[in-house]
Amino acid sequence: MKTERQLFANNRAWARAIDARDPEFFAKLSQQQAPQYLWIGCADSRVPANEIVGLLPGELFVHRNVANVVVHTDLNCLSVIQYAVDVLGVDEIIVCGHYGCGGVAAALAQRPLGLIDNWLRHIQDAMRRHRPLLDACRGPADRLRLLCELNVIEQVANVCQTTMVQGAWAGGRDLVVRGWIYGLDDGLLADLAMRVGRGDDFEARLRTAVAAAATRSISER
Ligand code: CO
């Protein structure tokens, strides 16, 4: 267990290392941020957004919650999307899930954990929509893998339906929403072929991406 003293020492070493590479770095960043991407990811400690994609402070606007869920009435997540799209002017929204997600596993197991059961209910709603695909999986590992992917795909669709993204597209903005998944065991990202831009039919994209995920988890494994 690291002590507070060690964490502050780490922080000073980190700031010195960045300053050595670029003495203007913090001065420039303190004046403005202009990230190109909004990242919506899981709160899991093993999925640090910036590190995975090798981006520095200032390059990624980040929202994380348990199991990277985008709920239509979650003012926290909606405010992040609104600020990112309208004020910061990001071009891309990335929903990034990960395999072996504890939140997704808990939703799948329907094991009571407390207050969070209400949050995970949203994943169980997605489970209900894809029940035949999940039932067709050979075992619990394949089922969890598939649901981790389906959850990302569903959350991308939820982002597309927000008033902010719909408004940006109606106003002619070339905003792209996409779904990725991260492997805890190899540190690699995979694209879930759920990419939606202005003029795209997100429900058609969702059907295609769901079918591809099902093929990976059911037929090939
Ligand atoms: Co997770």
Side-chain angles (χ1 to χ4, degrees):
M1 182 88 176
K2 288 191 167 65
T3 63
E4 182 183 351
R5 183 194 293 261
Q6 281 174 303
L7 297 181
F8 271 84
N10 289 351
N11 167 251
R12 283 190 297 272
W14 171 80
R16 265 199 310 272
I18 290 193
D19 193 56
R21 273 206 310 267
D22 179 2
E24 298 297 312
F25 185 81
F26 289 114
K28 276 185 297 192
L29 264 192
S30 65
Q31 298 304 313
Q32 61 146 15
Q33 62 166 336
Q36 189 182 340
Y37 311 96
L38 164 60
W39 175 281
I40 300 174
C42 184
D44 193 302
S45 64
R46 298 164 295 179
V47 194
N50 282 66
E51 274 184 76
I52 290 173
V53 287
L55 291 180
L56 289 167
E59 296 182 316
L60 198 63
F61 198 63
V62 174
H63 177 76
R64 290 169 68 182
N65 62 41
V66 173
N68 42 272
V69 177
V70 177
V71 177
H72 298 310
T73 51
D74 175 10
L75 270 183
N76 183 350
C77 183
L78 294 178
S79 300
V80 168
I81 295 174
Q82 194 260 324
Y83 189 77
V85 171
D86 292 346
V87 183
L88 297 176
V90 301
D91 302 321
E92 301 201 27
I93 301 176
I94 299 160
V95 177
C96 186
H98 66 102
Y99 293 117
C101 182
V104 175
L108 198 53
Q110 307 196 345
R111 191 175 56 240
L113 294 174
L115 173 71
I116 194 164
D117 298 345
N118 300 285
W119 181 252
L120 300 178
R121 175 63 52 193
H122 296 289
I123 301 176
Q124 289 167 339
D125 290 344
M127 275 168 60
R128 213 170 46 237
R129 284 192 289 279
H130 302 292
R131 180 48 77 189
L133 296 179
L134 292 163
D135 285 347
C137 288
R138 256 175 245 162
D142 286 1
R143 197 168 295 121
L144 175 58
R145 199 176 162 83
L146 176 59
L147 188 55
C148 287
E149 294 188 0
L150 294 178
N151 181 47
V152 170
I153 295 164
E154 287 280 346
Q155 304 316 324
V156 170
N158 286 348
V159 173
C160 293
Q161 291 172 88
T162 59
T163 52
M164 289 75 73
V165 172
Q166 289 289 324
W169 283 335
R173 286 263 304 276
D174 282 321
L175 179 68
V176 170
V177 189
R178 53 173 91 241
W180 293 348
I181 196 154
Y182 175 79
L184 295 176
D185 55 354
D186 60 8
L188 294 176
L189 284 171
D191 187 351
L192 290 175
M194 180 64 182
R195 178 197 180 282
V196 190
R198 182 164 57 92
D200 292 337
D201 176 351
F202 75 83
E203 291 191 67
R205 293 287 160 105
L206 182 140
R207 282 193 297 273
T208 309
V210 166
T215 302
R216 281 192 298 274
S217 289
I218 299 164
S219 313
E220 293 174 5
R221 292 165 61 84

